[in-house]
Amino acid sequence: MPAKKAPHKPLVWLPACHRNLDLDDPGGYTVLADRYALAVTQLGLQPVLFPMAEAEDIPCLLPLVDGVLLTGSPSNVEATHFGATALPTDLLDPRRDKLTMRLVRESLAGAVPLFGVCRGLQEINVALGGTLYQTVHEESGMMDHREPHDEDLAVQFAERHEVLLEQGSAFAQWAGGTRAMVNSLHGQGIRRLGEGLVAEAHAPDGLVEGVRVMGAPAFAYGVQWHPEWQHERHPFYQRTLEAFAQSCREHRQRRDEE
Ligand SMILES: N[C@@H](CCC(=O)NCCCC(=O)O)C(=O)O
């Protein structure tokens, strides 16, 4: 009797980020913040990183995974991707940008579950032709969405402002209502929505904080806040992540049945 094959654990692609851990370091490192990998693992999924992966590699790598989670990062999406000029103060990650601009579109085309968090939301928006405010806090009438200067992550990731969730949206379902408190750690923000995106969560100043990709065959959302942060203590964050995880499991099951 052949041994029963263990069910495959759904694999989730998290983009590799570049970091120079020391300003004098000419080399740099490929990094992934533990909290994203930990959240994916706690959902029963397996995070995977493809160091040095380029857009040309997507056709052979995307079929290996069951979801794409575009993580946050202190680096900014380079403004050249949305027709503007990068600020001299921008921390950039051009290798990640080149990959994710293509990965967003290929994930949607391939019905691979896609979830963008913070920078990941911004990447979805720009990849679909949208634009960003580069410094939301310098825009008239807008709040300062950046995290407080504090070493303590619990302070940085504390709930910061309310988001208004569209009636009948998945966000409202996951939150159990049309209002929720979220954290906020970003200086860029959605200015013009990309093609096919529906804004379903807004900050009190009107900034788009949550989007759905219209007509996507699998989970396809982006949020400006960080649901991976202490998700086990925040039902809204937890339900959002579980919905993404369920979509990844369904994708895996379809792959296993092929
Ligand atoms: N740099 C962009 C995106 C902000 C972002 O992703 N913040 C998360 C930082 C913490 C982490 O590394 O996850 C912006 O400023 O808008």
Side-chain angles (χ1 to χ4, degrees), residues 17-76:
C17 296
H18 177 266
R19 209 63 103 251
N20 286 75
L21 303 184
D22 171 344
L23 288 180
D24 299 325
D25 170 4
Y29 297 80
T30 294
V31 297
L32 161 67
D34 281 350
R35 65 178 163 278
Y36 300 104
L38 182 60
V40 168
T41 305
Q42 289 170 333
L43 291 163
L45 314 173
Q46 176 58 51
V48 291
L49 200 59
F50 295 117
M52 304 297 161
E54 299 188 347
E56 294 68 32
D57 301 315
I58 292 174
C60 71
L61 294 177
L62 193 55
L64 303 178
V65 303
D66 305 293
V68 174
L69 172 60
L70 300 177
T71 60
S73 170
S75 69
N76 283 348

Side-chain angles (χ1 to χ4, degrees), residues 19 33 35-36 71-77 91 117-120 122 134 146-147 156-157 185-189 224 226 228:
R19 209 63 103 251
R35 65 178 163 278
Y36 300 104
T71 60
S73 170
S75 69
N76 283 348
V77 177
L91 174 65
V117 172
C118 206
R119 189 195 210 266
Q122 298 163 358
Q134 291 185 261
R146 295 171 296 180
E147 66 275 28
Q156 292 183 33
F157 282 87
L185 299 92
H186 62 105
Q188 292 187 320
Q224 192 64 76
H226 287 265
E228 82 287 356

Side-chain angles (χ1 to χ4, degrees), residues 163-180 182 200-202 225 236:
V163 282
L164 306 177
L165 309 171
E166 285 302 305
Q167 186 82 36
S169 67
F171 290 117
Q173 182 187 340
W174 298 328
T178 56
R179 292 171 179 271
V182 297
E200 295 192 337
H202 291 84
W225 61 87
F236 178 29

